[in-house]
């Protein structure tokens, strides 16, 4: 089976379906694009699929991944991070609306620092303001390091909705843009920053 791209997004799947998929992905080294957005899979099952794809030594391409709109949660997000640090082949990652929490989002961003070919990252609606003091890695710090380390990153989206409690602390974040030459598209709608940060755009 020579799958190069597999998009099952918004087709409801059982956990058994997901485990079968992980075995299929493990048997081929040709699948570089995987879409599992809104499939209803548990975070651990999605982690198994990602591990099968990314840990395959015969993977011939850079991976494009979309697992948005699934209830992944913090624990599975940390599992994702442990998978991501073992590879350098992620080119695109969409993790929107996955309830990662501040802690889980921090771990994921930390792991992405090892991805020199990362070009696109979407991580909208995952962190609530009430969670800012939780976790080992602060999202603000990891976002700034991401811009410093991932020199091929062209598109970054961290949209949030303060009316629903979703918001990321972006204090000092915009200052990093002064030395970033790769970013073409940035969406930081609905986040928290001081007036001093806005001055960095001038």
């Amino acid at each position: 089976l020579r799958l190069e791209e597999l998009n099952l997004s918004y087709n409801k799947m059982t956990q058994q379906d997901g485990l079968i998929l992980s075995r299929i992905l493990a048997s081929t080294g040709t699948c570089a694009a995987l879409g599992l957005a809104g499939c209803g899979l548990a975070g651990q099952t999605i982690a198994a699929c990602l591990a099968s794809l990314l840990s395959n030594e015969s993977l011939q391409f850079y991976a494009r991944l979309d697992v948005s709109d699934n209830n992944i949660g913090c624990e599975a997000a940390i599992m994702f991070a442990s998978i991501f640090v073992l590879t350098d082949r992620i080119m695109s990652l969409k993790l929107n609306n996955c309830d990662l929490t501040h802690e889980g989002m921090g771990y994921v961003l930390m792991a992405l620092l090892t991805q020199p070919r990362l070009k696109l990252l979407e991580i909208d609606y995952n962190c609530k303001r009430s969670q800012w003091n939780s976790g080992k890695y602060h999202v603000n710090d990891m976002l700034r390091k991401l811009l410093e380390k991932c020199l091929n990153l062209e598109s970054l989206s961290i949209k949030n909705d303060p009316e629903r409690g979703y918001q990321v602390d972006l204090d000092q974040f915009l200052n990093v843009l002064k030395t970033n030459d790769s970013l073409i598209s940035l969406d930081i709608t609905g986040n928290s920053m001081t007036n001093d940060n806005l001055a960095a755009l001038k």
Side-chain angles (χ1 to χ4, degrees), residues 183-201:
L183 206 61
I184 298 171
S185 174
L186 173 65
D187 193 337
I188 53 174
T189 304
N191 288 294
S192 173
M193 65 183 71
T194 64
N195 290 332
D196 290 341
N197 271 264
L198 296 176
L201 292 176

Side-chain angles (χ1 to χ4, degrees), residues 126-189:
N126 278 295
C127 171
K128 293 198 171 183
R129 188 181 183 94
S130 59
Q131 302 165 346
W132 284 2
N133 292 324
S134 63
K136 180 178 179 180
Y137 301 102
H138 198 284
V139 167
N140 182 313
D141 294 338
M142 293 301 104
L143 284 169
R144 284 185 282 145
K145 288 183 179 179
L146 190 78
L147 291 185
E148 294 169 352
K149 297 283 188 181
C150 297
L151 301 180
N152 289 306
L153 185 64
E154 296 178 353
S155 179
L156 174 63
S157 180
I158 40 177
K159 289 186 293 187
N160 279 294
D161 182 356
E163 291 188 0
R164 293 192 295 142
Y166 290 99
Q167 200 168 48
V168 168
D169 173 18
L170 292 184
D171 201 25
Q172 302 301 319
F173 172 76
L174 294 181
N175 289 318
V176 184
L177 294 179
K178 294 179 179 179
T179 57
N180 182 279
D181 297 323
S182 65
L183 206 61
I184 298 171
S185 174
L186 173 65
D187 193 337
I188 53 174
T189 304

Side-chain angles (χ1 to χ4, degrees), residues 57-83:
E57 294 182 358
S58 60
L59 180 66
Q60 301 170 14
F61 309 99
Y62 301 125
R64 304 184 306 278
L65 310 169
D66 185 358
V67 294
S68 300
D69 297 324
N70 288 295
N71 187 21
I72 290 171
C74 178
E75 183 177 339
I78 295 173
M79 293 174 64
F80 284 17
S82 67
I83 296 165

